[in-house]
Amino acid sequence: MNIQGLGRLEPREQLRAVGLRVTAPRLAVLDWLSTHPHATADQVAVGVRERLDSVSTQAIYDVLNACTQAKLLRRIEPAGHPARFETRTSDNHHHLVCRQCDRTEDVDCVVGFAPCLEPSSALGFTVDEAEVVFWGLCPACAVRQSDSHHIEESV
């Protein structure tokens, strides 16, 4: 089975399809991330501990690394921010990150097919992926910032 078809499987079948043992921490991490994309390792640990009473931080990192290596998870690293993990691995999409609250959202490729963008010169490289992060303010933070400017102007 190709990697693109794995996203439609349940976590148990995903693990088996890539040759990883099915363990409670692995199942909990994949399941939790499926509804909480773009979570940091610390956020994953908190979420998984709500489901499994005791799981070590090291176990969480081990699961995240193993699942990332097996392409069940994608690791994104916005500059100046902790790494985040998501289960959307079947395409070369990009991300929007809010500068104030760190909200992170998926955005499909800007134009065309993967790798979505072409460098002005590939210098002999075979390019197979482009990683783009768009920075700005999410709608809620933009409203808060606008409201705070209005307050400052009226004082």
Side-chain angles (χ1 to χ4, degrees), residues 76-130:
I76 61 169
E77 299 181 56
H81 295 263
R84 297 172 180 278
F85 297 86
E86 65 181 343
T87 58
R88 184 176 170 185
T89 62
S90 62
D91 65 353
N92 181 218
H93 65 279
H94 308 301
H95 296 93
L96 295 160
V97 179
C98 179
R99 291 185 186 279
Q100 284 188 339
C101 70
D102 293 336
R103 174 178 162 188
T104 304
E105 297 290 341
D106 291 332
V107 62
D108 291 327
C109 283
V110 194
V111 292
F113 299 96
C116 303
L117 304 172
E118 294 183 25
S120 59
S121 173
L123 300 171
F125 283 68
T126 301
V127 177
D128 62 8
E129 183 178 3

Side-chain angles (χ1 to χ4, degrees), residues 15 20-21 23-30 33 41-42 44-46 48-49 52-68 73 85:
L15 291 166
L20 291 176
R21 281 186 325 114
T23 64
R26 287 177 178 166
L27 289 172
V29 165
L30 290 174
L33 276 170
D42 289 341
V44 172
V46 169
V48 167
R49 286 185 184 122
L52 304 176
D53 288 331
S54 65
V55 61
S56 71
T57 301
Q58 186 60 52
I60 297 296
Y61 278 96
D62 291 346
V63 169
L64 291 170
N65 287 331
C67 290
T68 299
L73 296 177
F85 297 86

Side-chain angles (χ1 to χ4, degrees), residues 132-146:
V132 176
V133 176
F134 297 95
W135 295 90
L137 296 176
C138 70
C141 289
V143 166
R144 278 193 294 277
Q145 184 174 5
S146 176

